[in-house]
Amino acid sequence: MKLSEIPKEELELMGYDDIAHIILQESGKKMKLVDIFKKVCTCLELPEATVEAQLMDFFELMSINKKFTMLDNGYWDLQSRHKVDIIIEDGEDEEELPEVDVEVEDETNEEDEDLFYDKDDDTDDVVEDELSDLMVIDTDDEQNM
């Protein structure tokens, strides 16, 4: 549908970005952001001061809308007219990343293990005789001395 065929009441219900989409579609070429917004304001019969007052808001609206793409030198166009070329170079210039050894832990059931028992520590198994340094003294012998 052409912009001139849309009734003013319907245009007023549309967002600035929707009107800008129609403007770019009809023009068939890229346009400067200010020119797009001036046409939007003209279609909505907004005063000239609106262009200066709301241009930054319009820029933000266009920036976040994926239907539009910002080109060089302040030009904007429909994203559908521009394809993105993804270039994957398979050259010898690329640095190879060093290989990293990844250690995989054994998946064991922790509930079955004794968490306080260190398998590598042999000292847990040795029973020390804590009484070996003690000497037994008979108190009856002491009194007789």
Side-chain angles (χ1 to χ4, degrees):
M1 179 177 266
K2 292 193 174 205
L3 196 59
S4 58
E5 297 173 356
I6 301 173
K8 185 178 184 238
E9 295 80 26
E10 193 174 325
L11 282 174
E12 289 174 345
L13 297 175
M14 295 173 69
Y16 290 167
D17 55 339
D18 295 327
I19 298 171
H21 188 271
I22 296 170
I23 291 170
L24 283 170
Q25 208 168 21
E26 285 182 3
S27 74
K29 61 181 181 177
K30 62 184 180 181
M31 294 176 67
K32 293 264 187 179
L33 184 71
V34 176
D35 297 333
I36 298 170
F37 193 52
K38 281 182 181 178
K39 286 193 174 201
V40 169
C41 291
T42 303
C43 291
L44 295 172
E45 298 175 4
L46 298 174
E48 185 72 28
T50 306
V51 175
E52 291 178 26
Q54 296 184 2
L55 184 60
M56 291 308 293
D57 293 335
F58 182 68
F59 171 78
E60 184 179 352
L61 181 67
M62 295 284 282
S63 297
I64 60 174
N65 193 325
K66 295 188 188 278
K67 294 179 188 176
F68 305 102
T69 185
M70 184 170 59
L71 306 171
D72 294 333
N73 300 323
Y75 283 96
W76 287 77
D77 203 357
L78 297 175
Q79 180 67 40
S80 60
R81 292 187 195 147
H82 300 270
K83 67 176 187 174
V84 178
D85 291 333
I86 300 175
I87 300 171
I88 300 174
E89 293 182 12
D90 189 27
E92 296 174 14
D93 297 15
E94 295 180 21
E95 291 182 28
E96 284 192 34
L97 297 175
E99 290 186 25
V100 178
D101 291 335
V102 178
E103 240 180 74
V104 180
E105 293 183 19
D106 268 347
E107 292 184 21
T108 57
N109 192 352
E110 289 185 20
E111 294 175 1
D112 294 340
E113 292 184 18
D114 184 3
L115 298 177
F116 300 106
Y117 178 71
D118 187 7
K119 293 178 182 177
D120 296 334
D121 189 8
D122 293 336
T123 60
D124 290 345
D125 295 335
V126 177
V127 178
E128 291 184 25
D129 189 9
E130 295 176 4
L131 304 176
S132 64
D133 294 336
L134 296 177
M135 186 178 351
V136 179
I137 300 176
D138 191 9
T139 55
D140 291 336
D141 290 338
E142 239 181 65
Q143 290 176 357
N144 293 335
M145 289 187 171

